[in-house]
Amino acid sequence: MIKVGIVGGTGYTGVELLRILVNHPDVELKVITSRSEDGLPVADMFPNLRGHTDLRFSVPDVQTLGECDVVFFATPHGVAHSLAEDILNTGARVIDLSADFRLQDAVEWEKWYGQPHGAPGLLPQAVYGLPEVNRAQIQEARLIAVPGCYPTSVQLGFLPLLENNLLPEQMLIADCKSGVSGAGRGASVGSLLCEASESMMAYAVKGHRHLPEIRQGMERAAGKAVNLTFVPHLTPMIRGIHSTLYAQAPGLAEDLQALYEARYANEPFVDVMPAGSHPATRSVKGSNVCRIAVHHHTHTGQVIVLSVIDNLVKGASGQAVQNMNIMFGLAEDAGLKQVALLP
Amino acid sequence: MIKVGIVGGTGYTGVELLRILVNHPDVELKVITSRSEDGLPVADMFPNLRGHTDLRFSVPDVQTLGECDVVFFATPHGVAHSLAEDILNTGARVIDLSADFRLQDAVEWEKWYGQPHGAPGLLPQAVYGLPEVNRAQIQEARLIAVPGCYPTSVQLGFLPLLENNLLPEQMLIADCKSGVSGAGRGASVGSLLCEASESMMAYAVKGHRHLPEIRQGMERAAGKAVNLTFVPHLTPMIRGIHSTLYAQAPGLAEDLQALYEARYANEPFVDVMPAGSHPATRSVKGSNVCRIAVHHHTHTGQVIVLSVIDNLVKGASGQAVQNMNIMFGLAEDAGLKQVALLP
Amino acid sequence: MIKVGIVGGTGYTGVELLRILVNHPDVELKVITSRSEDGLPVADMFPNLRGHTDLRFSVPDVQTLGECDVVFFATPHGVAHSLAEDILNTGARVIDLSADFRLQDAVEWEKWYGQPHGAPGLLPQAVYGLPEVNRAQIQEARLIAVPGCYPTSVQLGFLPLLENNLLPEQMLIADCKSGVSGAGRGASVGSLLCEASESMMAYAVKGHRHLPEIRQGMERAAGKAVNLTFVPHLTPMIRGIHSTLYAQAPGLAEDLQALYEARYANEPFVDVMPAGSHPATRSVKGSNVCRIAVHHHTHTGQVIVLSVIDNLVKGASGQAVQNMNIMFGLAEDAGLKQVALLP
Amino acid sequence: MIKVGIVGGTGYTGVELLRILVNHPDVELKVITSRSEDGLPVADMFPNLRGHTDLRFSVPDVQTLGECDVVFFATPHGVAHSLAEDILNTGARVIDLSADFRLQDAVEWEKWYGQPHGAPGLLPQAVYGLPEVNRAQIQEARLIAVPGCYPTSVQLGFLPLLENNLLPEQMLIADCKSGVSGAGRGASVGSLLCEASESMMAYAVKGHRHLPEIRQGMERAAGKAVNLTFVPHLTPMIRGIHSTLYAQAPGLAEDLQALYEARYANEPFVDVMPAGSHPATRSVKGSNVCRIAVHHHTHTGQVIVLSVIDNLVKGASGQAVQNMNIMFGLAEDAGLKQVALLP
């Protein structure tokens, strides 16, 4: 059994980690921390966990965490910067769900997050935890940066085009729609039911923190600079991201359906839908799957990719567990076989 | 492995059975029927099942079904009446999620369902599948009538009071709020998002088909006639039933919290919340648990019980699988360990 | 034109007052206050008002407010206590949407609100602004306490029974379901879309602040003590209250449908639905109407009344404007003719 | 008073016409038709109208309709084809909310709607009722084709760019998100709350019927062919369209904010938001306003326009009434001053 700790368990990625891990066949949950809720049974805050765990929140403590085989960070950015090194020094591995180690360029990170990077020395060993790209490195990794939710859905949607150098034009567009859980469990007016339901709006059109992360991943795949426009939207639902991706590729003759199917044929968590499909986010609600459909308007040269995930699962906690499974040599889908809740 | 068939797999209880059974460790799904969708892969209709099953819908056929160990009916009322006997004769057992065998009194059934009872001869062997009441009979049963959604939440909420004869006054009230999935997957104007969301309404105040079923169960528990007022409400959400139960019991001195905790101490799927709790339906969304809180206004003599379930799980398909587990001597929670999806 | 001021314009009752008043034919909006948003154009906070008003928030100032004919308070409890007297002294009238003057008994108020009553001296002149009961006093009033949302729907539903002394039994039940806007625009975790949508729960079963207000009104109507159980529920929608009212009245022979129709025949904002109806909250969304249906189970003696309002209109800001109309001799429905937004 | 008839009053655009017209100061509603609901009071079907109209549905009859000054068609496509000419011959004018006269090219219409065009002879006199483009022709028109919902939001968003020939590149993208009411009040599985809520999906990526209509309007404005990719999405809310428009215009130096403000300075129902804004659909819910924000990523040359409307108001019935107001020389905003319902 792998001994697991969680730092920061009171947010949505925290409770989602718990939902997955309490039923994971190879995991023993040892510790979950929260400074504000020290001593509170986790199931008192999240009653869905009643009967599944007796764990209580405790104040984060490096020694206790160091007795784990792996420690997940489900914290706001900046926290993992200050704690990860100490934990790594105990021999435990770290899987960070925050943005702290996603950008390889600390200067870029500081520009987007508006504060000094607290652990640039760890960046060389941080592996970007997108298994469909970095599976081999993940196996060896001691520090994983779990990709963001938008970046996961956008990269998986664009990868086959980029890797095969099929996009002669530079201008790519990712029009992304996210459920409100992406904004976290913090009390903010904009996330109130009365503000966010029965409405649709774009936000951060000027620039969103996930843009440099997406670009970094796309440029690695393309081997060149990529010009991406990314517009996120707040959608009146709890979970789900729907990314609608546009790429102008006049004259493109490839069979994109076959290309996508081949690229993801061995991926346990990427499902290329039949030609002509329109995946709905509810088809992945609560599951770790990314479903993709590729459309090609040959008369206009426009390629349209539809990519859906559950932002809290494949976009966060599920992908984190997938990384853990790979790191520890478990079945990659251990604990991740949940069928999406439909309806 | 238990070989399972499902008759009528295109509705919400059908897809919910599939969601549970594809991950059930002791089950092999053999056949799922639909006259209208013959030949269609199940996962084409319900894309959440892609990758979990290759089964196709087929026309119901007694011989094929008879090769199963157990056949679930997830059909409109009347269908199980006409098919169950043939299937039972093959030696397979039957678990009926419809209302066909819930009422022991065929005349009463005909009054509420407006058509002749098609199989009164089977009623003596039909066991009402509420494990918290009938576990022993379920173990021996060959034909199970799975309780309705409202009846499950109302009976579990009232049982400790009734069984202990604590209600001197006769007038009991069940004010119940159900998500829209209770109305099924049929295309009807009243269940459209634009009609049912952002609104709340009572319905069937004059009399709902679940009333005689609830009364039958309550009277068995009380050993006497029960006077119940039942008002169901349509609530703008997909899943969940919240039953608010009222019982006037002036002078009642019992420690109801202790009574409820004792009654359900050994029940794997009934969770008595701490005193003063307000269970939310989302705490059971996708799980087979019924959560109950009991409040007692000693100054007025009013007992108020709050009882929540997921209408598609403990109120239908989950409870059906719980019955199967009991019938076949499996762990009662096999395949039913899902944690509620929260948020 | 009646000159109007609003104290506390940043909450939901504030913006709803504005929605109504900017189109009111007899009103000139002069001032709207907010300490935190001083100087901000109202339409910057509430973009639905763009093009309808150029007003800016200002710090509350007695002299400026005193130049109005009437000042609405859309503030948390306690604020009107400290400001109302000064404003009344300027000659302006006050319509308070908060709970500050709803209870005639200051001691009772202090018990439920947990703080000293700040203006007990004003209680004798405070008129409870339920026009269907107190229209004559409202005409003469200088200080109005606008009823709460639950109290409006519950009292209007019970009044005909109480006024006619038709309830021999004492135990009455109000099972009420409210949209989330009833919790206000404050940032709280419980009101987040991800917490409150797709779920149903009771709250404050032990005792809710609206209970003494409802009881006060019911006892006035009945001329005797009333034993009421009140259970509020949080419902996953923005607006609307659905009150399901239960009264045991064995042997009651009255034609309740006729009784209700007669009671409200001349009321512009109470709509008694045809016998057998189930009013939906969406039928009053955005309108000042209370729709009521009365059901009578003669075999059990149970009377069931269904009463729906929009909590922000008839349950708050619309009713406040209705009071203003009465106070100033305007048409009672001036500015209040909005048809509910359906779908 | 203008005498008004409505053909086909049982859908969402029908009830929305009624909501607006019962409070229109210059309108007398004379007749509303429905073959299936002949004799039924309109307010029995749509209880929000109780107290606002006593009208009953009647079978469509040319003579009765011909006594009106104007007849609205709120019917499925094809119906206006067969009835409009007879009504025009009586002297009444026709405002058609369906798609029947939107495309000037009957062959194109037949291609997209899969049936013969029933009234090509009327096309020359049909005026496309987008007041921001065709106000002068609307004043003189006897037959109006009210624009579709997507086409309204997309055209208003792109017009200033097209009219000023600012888009050297041809590839434009309209990524549009619509509430479910756009799918109408017909009972279909895909529009059920349990299918459409808590989910997001694209549809008709291959080609949507609104594409040729949008293209026709854009090409008129541009004076040349336009290459548009249009992807509609189903969004879990009742009302609202959010169009996110992308145009690549490298080197564009214009002050787009000023351009948009100037273009719509005199338009009563187009609101250009301040620079940097993100309009939410709820800011127009129930109102006839289109709110637009224009963003320009000068470093990439990407122009992003956000355009929101209420699909049932500015996208259908409100715009229809705006056309009527223009045709009959009324104030253009008569009956259309509703403030959006927020929250």
Side-chain angles (χ1 to χ4, degrees):
Chain A
M1 298 295 275
I2 294 164
K3 293 193 284 289
V4 168
I6 300 175
V7 178
T10 62
Y12 290 143
T13 54
V15 63
E16 190 69 355
L17 271 176
L18 289 165
R19 183 179 73 89
I20 295 167
L21 293 175
V22 295
N23 278 334
H24 193 295
D26 307 308
V27 160
E28 184 185 5
L29 267 172
K30 299 297 283 184
V31 56
I32 177 162
T33 79
S34 161
R35 291 186 189 279
S36 59
E37 307 294 342
D38 183 31
L40 186 78
V42 168
D44 281 13
M45 174 168 280
F46 300 120
N48 61 328
L49 294 168
R50 285 175 61 87
H52 293 280
T53 181
D54 294 327
L55 222 54
R56 290 168 182 267
F57 291 112
S58 59
V59 170
D61 169 71
V62 171
Q63 192 182 335
T64 316
L65 291 166
E67 291 163 10
C68 297
D69 297 305
V70 60
V71 175
F72 291 91
F73 279 78
T75 44
H77 62 265
V79 177
H81 281 169
S82 59
L83 263 178
E85 184 147 25
D86 288 347
I87 291 173
L88 288 168
N89 286 341
T90 68
R93 295 190 235 185
V94 168
I95 299 177
D96 177 26
L97 284 79
S98 85
D100 280 8
F101 299 103
R102 291 182 194 155
L103 299 186
Q104 276 297 313
D105 181 341
V107 175
E108 183 82 353
W109 193 94
E110 295 178 352
K111 177 181 138 198
W112 286 92
Y113 289 87
Q115 63 188 70
H117 195 293
L122 293 177
L123 286 175
Q125 66 175 292
V127 172
Y128 188 70
L130 193 62
E132 293 78 7
V133 173
N134 292 330
R135 188 170 280 111
Q137 298 94 305
I138 293 167
Q139 285 170 335
E140 309 300 324
R142 301 199 47 246
L143 170 58
I144 294 284
V146 181
C149 48
Y150 288 124
T152 297
S153 71
V154 175
Q155 289 176 80
L156 291 177
F158 271 132
L159 278 180
L161 297 172
L162 296 168
E163 292 170 348
N164 290 283
N165 202 20
L166 294 177
L167 300 178
E169 303 277 334
Q170 283 298 313
M171 183 53 66
L172 305 177
I173 291 171
D175 187 292
C176 298
K177 300 89 175 167
S178 172
V180 183
S181 61
R185 195 167 162 267
S188 78
V189 171
S191 300
L192 295 177
L193 181 142
C194 294
E195 303 287 313
S197 77
E198 290 297 307
S199 192
M200 183 85 195
M201 65 181 294
Y203 65 100
V205 172
K206 211 169 182 179
H208 184 284
R209 285 169 173 173
H210 283 177
L211 174 58
E213 179 187 346
I214 300 172
R215 210 159 39 197
Q216 170 184 279
M218 289 174 67
E219 293 183 346
R220 278 183 192 162
K224 63 179 179 186
V226 161
N227 199 344
L228 175 73
T229 297
F230 166 52
V231 178
H233 298 74
L234 192 64
T235 308
M237 58 188 185
I238 298 175
R239 289 167 179 251
I241 283 183
H242 186 294
S243 292
T244 313
L245 311 177
Y246 301 91
Q248 229 178 306
L252 181 65
E254 258 74 12
D255 177 346
L256 295 182
Q257 182 69 25
L259 181 81
Y260 272 69
E261 290 181 1
R263 173 61 178 85
Y264 293 122
N266 297 316
E267 286 300 335
F269 293 114
V270 181
D271 174 26
V272 177
M273 306 272 293
S277 293
H278 301 98
T281 60
R282 71 185 192 125
S283 78
V284 296
K285 187 170 56 181
S287 96
N288 197 47
V289 176
C290 173
R291 293 196 207 280
I292 292 176
V294 58
H295 294 251
H296 191 186
H297 288 184
T298 48
H299 54 299
T300 66
Q302 189 71 247
V303 176
I304 301 159
V305 183
L306 313 174
S307 167
V308 301
I309 60 170
D310 183 323
N311 55 305
L312 295 180
V313 192
K314 183 63 176 167
S317 305
Q319 186 146 266
V321 173
Q322 186 181 356
N323 273 277
M324 179 194 75
N325 290 345
I326 296 170
M327 291 166 91
F328 288 88
L330 308 174
E332 191 163 330
D333 66 352
L336 294 172
K337 292 173 184 162
Q338 299 89 348
V339 181
L341 202 65
L342 178 161
Chain B
M1 299 295 276
I2 294 165
K3 292 192 285 288
V4 168
I6 299 174
V7 178
T10 62
Y12 289 143
T13 55
V15 63
E16 189 70 354
L17 271 176
L18 289 165
R19 182 179 73 91
I20 295 167
L21 293 174
V22 294
N23 277 336
H24 194 295
D26 308 307
V27 160
E28 184 185 6
L29 268 172
K30 298 297 284 185
V31 57
I32 178 161
T33 79
S34 162
R35 290 186 190 279
S36 59
E37 306 296 342
D38 183 30
L40 186 78
V42 167
D44 281 14
M45 174 168 280
F46 300 119
N48 61 329
L49 295 167
R50 286 174 60 88
H52 293 279
T53 180
D54 294 327
L55 223 54
R56 290 167 182 267
F57 291 111
S58 59
V59 170
D61 169 69
V62 171
Q63 193 182 332
T64 315
L65 291 165
E67 292 163 8
C68 297
D69 297 306
V70 61
V71 175
F72 292 90
F73 280 79
T75 45
H77 62 265
V79 177
H81 280 169
S82 60
L83 263 179
E85 185 147 25
D86 288 348
I87 290 172
L88 288 168
N89 286 342
T90 67
R93 296 189 235 187
V94 168
I95 299 177
D96 177 26
L97 284 79
S98 85
D100 280 8
F101 299 103
R102 291 182 194 155
L103 299 186
Q104 276 297 311
D105 182 341
V107 174
E108 184 81 355
W109 194 93
E110 294 178 352
K111 178 181 135 196
W112 286 92
Y113 289 87
Q115 63 187 70
H117 195 292
L122 293 177
L123 286 174
Q125 64 173 292
V127 172
Y128 188 70
L130 193 62
E132 292 77 7
V133 173
N134 292 330
R135 187 169 281 109
Q137 299 95 303
I138 293 167
Q139 285 170 335
E140 309 300 325
R142 301 200 47 247
L143 169 59
I144 294 283
V146 181
C149 49
Y150 288 124
T152 296
S153 71
V154 175
Q155 289 176 80
L156 292 177
F158 271 133
L159 278 180
L161 297 172
L162 296 168
E163 291 171 349
N164 289 285
N165 201 19
L166 294 177
L167 301 177
E169 303 278 334
Q170 283 297 315
M171 184 54 66
L172 305 176
I173 291 171
D175 187 291
C176 298
K177 300 88 174 165
S178 173
V180 182
S181 62
R185 196 167 161 268
S188 79
V189 171
S191 301
L192 295 176
L193 181 143
C194 295
E195 303 286 313
S197 77
E198 289 297 305
S199 193
M200 183 84 196
M201 66 181 293
Y203 66 99
V205 172
K206 211 170 182 178
H208 184 284
R209 285 168 172 172
H210 283 178
L211 175 58
E213 179 186 345
I214 300 172
R215 210 158 40 197
Q216 169 185 279
M218 289 174 66
E219 293 182 347
R220 278 183 191 163
K224 62 179 180 186
V226 161
N227 199 344
L228 175 73
T229 296
F230 166 51
V231 177
H233 298 74
L234 192 65
T235 307
M237 58 188 183
I238 297 174
R239 290 167 178 249
I241 284 182
H242 186 292
S243 292
T244 313
L245 310 178
Y246 301 90
Q248 230 178 307
L252 182 65
E254 259 73 12
D255 176 346
L256 296 182
Q257 182 68 24
L259 181 81
Y260 272 70
E261 289 182 2
R263 173 60 178 86
Y264 293 122
N266 298 315
E267 287 299 337
F269 293 115
V270 182
D271 174 26
V272 178
M273 307 272 293
S277 293
H278 301 98
T281 60
R282 70 185 192 126
S283 77
V284 297
K285 187 169 57 179
S287 96
N288 197 47
V289 176
C290 173
R291 294 195 208 280
I292 292 178
V294 58
H295 294 251
H296 191 185
H297 289 183
T298 49
H299 55 297
T300 66
Q302 190 72 248
V303 177
I304 301 159
V305 183
L306 313 174
S307 168
V308 302
I309 59 169
D310 183 322
N311 55 305
L312 295 180
V313 192
K314 184 62 175 168
S317 305
Q319 186 147 265
V321 172
Q322 187 182 356
N323 273 276
M324 180 194 74
N325 290 343
I326 297 170
M327 292 166 91
F328 288 88
L330 308 173
E332 191 164 330
D333 65 353
L336 293 172
K337 292 173 184 162
Q338 298 89 349
V339 181
L341 201 66
L342 179 159
Chain C
M1 299 295 275
I2 294 164
K3 293 192 285 290
V4 168
I6 299 174
V7 178
T10 62
Y12 290 143
T13 55
V15 63
E16 190 69 356
L17 271 176
L18 288 165
R19 184 180 72 91
I20 295 168
L21 292 175
V22 295
N23 278 334
H24 193 295
D26 307 307
V27 160
E28 185 183 7
L29 268 172
K30 299 296 286 184
V31 56
I32 178 162
T33 78
S34 162
R35 291 186 190 279
S36 60
E37 306 296 341
D38 183 31
L40 186 77
V42 167
D44 280 14
M45 173 167 281
F46 300 120
N48 61 329
L49 294 168
R50 285 174 60 89
H52 293 280
T53 181
D54 295 327
L55 222 55
R56 288 167 183 268
F57 291 112
S58 59
V59 170
D61 168 70
V62 171
Q63 192 182 333
T64 315
L65 291 166
E67 291 163 10
C68 297
D69 297 306
V70 60
V71 175
F72 292 90
F73 279 79
T75 45
H77 64 264
V79 178
H81 280 169
S82 61
L83 263 179
E85 183 147 26
D86 289 347
I87 290 173
L88 288 168
N89 286 342
T90 68
R93 295 189 235 187
V94 167
I95 300 177
D96 176 26
L97 284 80
S98 86
D100 280 9
F101 300 103
R102 290 182 194 156
L103 299 186
Q104 276 297 311
D105 182 341
V107 174
E108 183 82 354
W109 194 93
E110 294 178 353
K111 178 181 136 197
W112 286 92
Y113 290 87
Q115 63 188 73
H117 195 293
L122 292 177
L123 285 175
Q125 65 173 294
V127 172
Y128 188 70
L130 193 63
E132 293 77 9
V133 172
N134 291 331
R135 188 170 280 110
Q137 298 94 305
I138 293 168
Q139 285 169 336
E140 308 301 324
R142 301 200 48 245
L143 170 58
I144 294 284
V146 180
C149 50
Y150 288 124
T152 297
S153 72
V154 175
Q155 290 177 77
L156 292 176
F158 271 133
L159 278 180
L161 297 171
L162 297 168
E163 291 171 349
N164 290 282
N165 202 20
L166 293 177
L167 300 177
E169 303 278 334
Q170 284 297 313
M171 185 52 67
L172 305 177
I173 291 171
D175 186 293
C176 297
K177 300 90 175 167
S178 173
V180 183
S181 62
R185 195 167 164 268
S188 78
V189 171
S191 301
L192 295 177
L193 182 142
C194 294
E195 302 287 313
S197 76
E198 288 298 306
S199 192
M200 182 85 195
M201 65 180 294
Y203 65 100
V205 172
K206 211 170 183 180
H208 184 283
R209 286 169 173 172
H210 283 178
L211 175 58
E213 179 187 345
I214 301 172
R215 210 158 41 196
Q216 170 184 277
M218 289 175 67
E219 293 182 346
R220 278 183 193 163
K224 62 179 179 188
V226 161
N227 199 342
L228 175 73
T229 297
F230 166 52
V231 178
H233 298 74
L234 192 64
T235 309
M237 59 187 183
I238 299 175
R239 289 167 178 249
I241 284 182
H242 187 293
S243 292
T244 313
L245 311 177
Y246 300 90
Q248 229 178 308
L252 181 65
E254 260 72 13
D255 177 346
L256 295 181
Q257 181 70 23
L259 181 81
Y260 272 69
E261 289 182 1
R263 173 61 178 84
Y264 293 121
N266 298 315
E267 286 299 336
F269 293 115
V270 182
D271 174 26
V272 178
M273 305 272 293
S277 294
H278 302 98
T281 59
R282 71 186 192 124
S283 77
V284 297
K285 187 170 57 180
S287 96
N288 197 48
V289 176
C290 174
R291 294 195 208 279
I292 293 177
V294 57
H295 294 250
H296 192 184
H297 288 183
T298 49
H299 55 298
T300 65
Q302 190 71 249
V303 178
I304 301 158
V305 183
L306 313 174
S307 168
V308 301
I309 60 169
D310 184 323
N311 55 305
L312 294 180
V313 192
K314 183 64 175 168
S317 305
Q319 186 146 265
V321 173
Q322 186 182 356
N323 273 277
M324 180 194 75
N325 290 344
I326 296 170
M327 291 166 91
F328 288 89
L330 308 173
E332 193 163 329
D333 66 353
L336 293 171
K337 292 173 184 162
Q338 299 88 348
V339 181
L341 202 65
L342 180 161
Chain D
M1 299 295 276
I2 295 164
K3 293 192 286 288
V4 168
I6 299 174
V7 178
T10 62
Y12 289 144
T13 54
V15 64
E16 189 69 356
L17 271 175
L18 289 165
R19 183 179 73 90
I20 295 168
L21 293 174
V22 295
N23 277 335
H24 194 295
D26 307 306
V27 159
E28 185 184 5
L29 268 172
K30 299 295 285 184
V31 56
I32 178 163
T33 78
S34 163
R35 290 185 191 280
S36 60
E37 306 295 342
D38 184 30
L40 186 78
V42 167
D44 280 15
M45 174 167 280
F46 300 119
N48 61 329
L49 296 168
R50 285 175 60 87
H52 293 280
T53 180
D54 294 327
L55 222 54
R56 288 167 184 269
F57 291 111
S58 59
V59 171
D61 169 70
V62 171
Q63 192 182 334
T64 314
L65 291 166
E67 291 164 8
C68 296
D69 296 307
V70 61
V71 174
F72 291 90
F73 279 78
T75 45
H77 62 265
V79 177
H81 281 169
S82 61
L83 261 179
E85 183 146 28
D86 288 348
I87 290 173
L88 288 168
N89 287 341
T90 68
R93 296 188 235 188
V94 167
I95 299 177
D96 177 26
L97 284 80
S98 86
D100 280 8
F101 300 104
R102 290 182 195 156
L103 299 186
Q104 276 297 312
D105 181 340
V107 174
E108 183 82 354
W109 193 93
E110 294 178 351
K111 178 182 137 197
W112 286 91
Y113 289 87
Q115 62 187 71
H117 196 292
L122 292 177
L123 285 175
Q125 64 173 292
V127 172
Y128 188 69
L130 193 62
E132 293 77 7
V133 172
N134 292 329
R135 188 168 280 109
Q137 298 93 305
I138 293 168
Q139 284 170 336
E140 310 300 325
R142 300 201 48 246
L143 170 59
I144 295 284
V146 180
C149 49
Y150 288 123
T152 296
S153 71
V154 175
Q155 290 176 78
L156 291 177
F158 271 132
L159 278 181
L161 297 171
L162 296 168
E163 291 171 350
N164 291 283
N165 202 19
L166 294 178
L167 301 178
E169 302 277 335
Q170 283 297 315
M171 184 52 67
L172 305 177
I173 291 171
D175 186 292
C176 297
K177 300 89 174 166
S178 174
V180 183
S181 62
R185 195 166 163 268
S188 78
V189 171
S191 301
L192 295 176
L193 181 142
C194 294
E195 302 287 313
S197 76
E198 289 299 306
S199 193
M200 183 86 196
M201 66 181 293
Y203 66 100
V205 172
K206 211 169 182 179
H208 184 284
R209 285 167 173 174
H210 282 179
L211 174 58
E213 179 187 343
I214 300 172
R215 210 159 40 196
Q216 170 184 277
M218 289 175 66
E219 293 182 346
R220 278 183 192 163
K224 62 179 179 187
V226 161
N227 199 344
L228 175 73
T229 296
F230 166 52
V231 177
H233 298 74
L234 192 64
T235 309
M237 58 187 184
I238 299 175
R239 290 168 178 248
I241 284 182
H242 187 293
S243 292
T244 312
L245 311 177
Y246 300 90
Q248 230 179 307
L252 181 65
E254 259 73 12
D255 177 345
L256 294 182
Q257 182 69 24
L259 181 82
Y260 272 70
E261 289 182 2
R263 173 60 178 85
Y264 292 122
N266 298 315
E267 286 300 336
F269 293 114
V270 181
D271 175 26
V272 177
M273 307 273 292
S277 293
H278 301 98
T281 60
R282 70 185 194 126
S283 77
V284 297
K285 186 169 58 180
S287 95
N288 198 48
V289 176
C290 173
R291 294 196 208 278
I292 292 176
V294 57
H295 293 251
H296 192 184
H297 289 183
T298 48
H299 53 299
T300 66
Q302 190 71 247
V303 177
I304 301 160
V305 183
L306 313 174
S307 166
V308 301
I309 59 169
D310 183 323
N311 56 305
L312 295 179
V313 192
K314 184 62 176 169
S317 305
Q319 186 147 267
V321 172
Q322 186 181 355
N323 274 277
M324 180 194 76
N325 290 344
I326 295 169
M327 292 166 90
F328 288 89
L330 308 174
E332 192 162 329
D333 66 352
L336 293 172
K337 293 173 184 161
Q338 298 88 350
V339 181
L341 202 66
L342 179 159

